Amino acid sequence: SETHGISFRIQISVKELLDKDILLKLLFHLPVSYPSTLPDISVNSDQLTRAQCMDVKEKLLEQAKKHLSEPMVHDLILWVQQHLKGVIKQSATVCNEKTTLSEGTEDGIWMLLLHLDHMRAKAKYVKTVEKWASNLRLTGRLMFMGKIILILLQGDRSSIKEYLILQKTSKVDVDSSGKKCKEKMMKVLCETEVQSQHKRFQTFEVKEYSALEELQKEFETAGLITLFSEFVPPLLK
């Protein structure tokens, strides 16, 4: 759009070290001021670790800086196809010690984005979510925009997991006849470790937004515009 630029996803297949194909999913968010401003890039792959995806993303942003002020997406895709092998090799040596230490642990701050279909008993439901977030020391936002209801949480991974269990197993709402009922229409949009470019929420707040732009601003301020671009617009369809 004229105010927010565009987002698009590209999937590419790259031959890796042992000649097996690695499927890379790249999400580009091009701001309105692109190419004078760098694109926001998100890298995902089922065959790579989170650390390796982050390394690929950092290297792509380094390359993007060299192409500032000229269209660069095509060049970045060519670059990653040619250099993925090297980045993974480098990443593997740097991360080997780290991964063996952290694989079995619940360390790090995690983030969860949930979508709720509706709230019939809104006041009671909101109070319950606030109470859970407070008890589990989770920060974030409960966001209402038109018919869209989102819960964005940050905190220890074990607390995030506990929250999910509460949300799925407790009677948080009422059905059409007014009887207490469990949340059956919740969708986990994203569950991931908080990265360095994400800002930490200091509190848990309930917020209402009158326009999509306001909601987008909330994500943007938190360094989560890629998360917004990937998960929120599809909910409007």
Side-chain angles (χ1 to χ4, degrees):
S1 73
E2 284 173 26
T3 45
H4 302 306
I6 56 165
S7 297
F8 56 89
R9 203 192 298 251
I10 291 174
Q11 291 206 134
I12 56 168
S13 189
V14 188
K15 278 259 182 282
E16 207 256 312
L17 301 169
L18 304 164
D19 283 337
K20 64 174 179 186
D21 284 353
I22 295 248
L23 191 66
L24 273 190
K25 296 167 194 163
L26 306 171
L27 180 76
F28 289 92
H29 173 77
L30 309 184
V32 182
S33 46
Y34 169 87
S36 312
T37 312
L38 291 179
D40 201 0
I41 304 170
S42 163
V43 178
N44 283 299
S45 173
D46 295 339
Q47 292 125 305
L48 300 180
T49 64
R50 251 194 333 276
Q52 286 172 326
C53 286
M54 284 304 291
D55 284 346
V56 173
K57 175 185 167 165
E58 276 166 32
K59 291 280 185 279
L60 277 171
L61 286 171
E62 276 171 30
Q63 288 304 309
K65 283 173 192 163
K66 296 177 187 174
H67 293 281
L68 207 53
S69 297
E70 55 187 70
M72 61 185 83
V73 173
H74 182 64
D75 291 313
L76 294 178
I77 289 164
L78 288 177
W79 185 89
V80 82
Q81 285 176 315
Q82 288 160 6
H83 296 89
L84 183 68
K85 206 182 265 190
V87 176
I88 292 174
K89 217 172 183 181
Q90 209 179 345
S91 173
T93 48
V94 175
C95 294
N96 249 349
E97 291 168 36
K98 276 194 207 163
T99 14
T100 44
L101 286 172
S102 66
E103 249 169 14
T105 70
E106 298 283 282
D107 288 352
I109 298 299
W110 278 66
M111 179 164 64
L112 180 70
L113 182 62
L114 300 174
H115 173 242
L116 303 182
D117 186 72
H118 62 274
M119 285 183 181
R120 279 202 177 91
K122 186 176 172 181
K124 179 183 169 287
Y125 204 137
V126 169
K127 263 194 179 149
T128 306
V129 171
E130 285 180 310
K131 191 176 110 191
W132 289 342
S134 163
N135 291 349
L136 293 167
R137 293 188 182 161
L138 296 170
T139 60
R141 298 283 183 268
L142 168 52
M143 302 177 271
F144 295 93
M145 201 284 297
K147 288 187 174 177
I148 291 178
I149 307 168
L150 296 169
I151 301 177
L152 181 59
L153 296 168
Q154 291 178 343
D156 293 340
R157 193 174 186 190
S158 53
S159 301
I160 293 267
K161 282 184 173 173
E162 210 169 314
Y163 179 92
L164 265 176
I165 293 166
L166 285 168
Q167 181 79 58
K168 285 174 184 170
T169 58
S170 309
K171 290 186 175 178
V172 281
D173 207 359
V174 296
D175 61 20
S176 51
S177 60
K179 278 187 189 159
K180 289 181 178 178
C181 66
K182 293 176 186 175
E183 178 56 75
K184 293 190 179 76
M185 298 183 76
M186 177 192 79
K187 224 182 192 173
V188 177
L189 298 178
C190 179
E191 189 180 352
T192 183
E193 196 165 2
V194 170
Q195 307 296 347
S196 54
Q197 74 272 24
H198 302 148
K199 292 190 177 63
R200 289 289 312 279
F201 290 108
Q202 298 307 308
T203 54
F204 182 80
E205 288 175 42
V206 180
K207 286 190 153 190
E208 305 238 1
Y209 308 86
S210 53
L212 189 65
E213 287 74 20
E214 282 180 30
L215 184 60
Q216 176 158 349
K217 196 92 192 111
E218 184 77 73
F219 278 81
E220 225 164 86
T221 311
L224 299 170
I225 188 63
T226 314
L227 193 74
F228 175 88
S229 305
E230 192 166 348
F231 296 108
V232 181
L235 300 174
L236 293 165
K237 286 168 186 168

